Amino acid sequence: RYIENESENPLPDMFRIEYKDVNYRYLRNTIISYIQQENVFADYLTILDNVSITESNTDLINNNFENFDILDKLNKKSFELSGGQRQKCSFIRGIIKKSQVLLVDEPTSNMDKKTELITFKLLKEISKTKLVIVVLPAPCGPSTIINFEFAI
């Protein structure tokens, strides 16, 4: 809903979006970064090319791929990777996009426990500067949700 009165808006300025004349393509391309549960890549491009669509800073890309121990996968095609490796690549593509809101759908569904912990620690860090919304399956325990402000 469009908020006419500033005092009614419960969100901090950094997360405030005015919905008077909503341009959904603009929201999707600049305001919101969405990490899907299903990984979508252009199969004819390398992983580096797929990730570079949202950010061209190669140092940022390389650092994130190194953190997830998949730096050697940058020049491979998506169909050459395992499900967990594709999930990591999709996650990195989503988090490096310059946006105000990060919407994440089951980010660790194909990841091992070590990578799951790295992922949620990183999401916690990102939540200091962006609104982070994570969709998780109902039976998730404390190993999945670590120190988030609240869960619904």
Side-chain angles (χ1 to χ4, degrees), residues 3-62:
I3 299 170
E4 191 73 40
N5 185 348
E6 282 294 312
S7 64
E8 291 179 22
N9 195 334
L11 297 174
D13 286 341
M14 64 188 282
F15 301 128
R16 196 168 295 174
I17 301 171
E18 298 291 335
Y19 292 103
K20 192 171 190 176
D21 297 311
V22 177
N23 178 334
Y24 292 103
R25 178 171 281 148
Y26 173 78
L27 284 177
R28 176 73 167 95
N29 291 335
T30 60
I31 304 293
I32 299 170
S33 181
Y34 175 54
I35 301 172
Q36 303 179 52
Q37 184 178 1
E38 295 297 321
N39 309 303
V40 179
F41 294 102
D43 287 336
Y44 58 91
L45 296 175
T46 66
I47 291 298
L48 177 59
D49 292 335
N50 272 282
V51 172
S52 297
I53 290 170
T54 59
E55 174 61 56
S56 60
N57 181 335
T58 53
D59 288 339
L60 179 64
I61 293 170
N62 288 339

Side-chain angles (χ1 to χ4, degrees), residues 9-151:
N9 195 334
L11 297 174
D13 286 341
M14 64 188 282
F15 301 128
R16 196 168 295 174
I17 301 171
E18 298 291 335
Y19 292 103
K20 192 171 190 176
D21 297 311
V22 177
N23 178 334
Y24 292 103
R25 178 171 281 148
Y26 173 78
L27 284 177
R28 176 73 167 95
N29 291 335
T30 60
I31 304 293
I32 299 170
S33 181
Y34 175 54
I35 301 172
Q36 303 179 52
Q37 184 178 1
E38 295 297 321
N39 309 303
V40 179
F41 294 102
D43 287 336
Y44 58 91
L45 296 175
T46 66
I47 291 298
L48 177 59
D49 292 335
N50 272 282
V51 172
S52 297
I53 290 170
T54 59
E55 174 61 56
S56 60
N57 181 335
T58 53
D59 288 339
L60 179 64
I61 293 170
N62 288 339
N63 288 341
N64 278 284
F65 273 78
E66 191 172 345
N67 288 341
F68 281 95
D69 199 28
I70 53 171
L71 187 57
D72 61 327
K73 307 300 182 205
L74 280 174
N75 293 313
K76 301 231 181 248
K77 305 283 175 94
S78 65
F79 57 83
E80 298 177 286
L81 305 181
S82 69
Q85 291 168 335
R86 282 193 305 274
Q87 186 86 18
K88 291 174 187 180
C89 295
S90 179
F91 181 78
I92 292 167
R93 179 178 55 192
I95 64 171
I96 65 173
K97 179 180 175 185
K98 292 177 176 73
S99 65
Q100 297 174 22
V101 178
L102 181 59
L103 178 59
V104 189
D105 183 13
E106 295 191 35
T108 59
S109 59
N110 291 313
M111 294 181 188
D112 58 59
K113 290 292 179 191
K114 177 185 170 197
T115 306
E116 180 180 305
L117 188 60
I118 292 168
T119 300
F120 279 99
K121 282 184 177 180
L122 187 54
L123 284 172
K124 177 65 178 175
E125 187 63 30
I126 292 169
S127 73
K128 293 176 182 176
T129 59
K130 293 183 183 186
L131 175 62
V132 176
I133 301 168
V134 181
V135 178
L136 295 170
C140 62
S143 68
T144 304
I145 303 173
I146 54 170
N147 296 322
F148 278 90
E149 294 299 319
F150 60 90

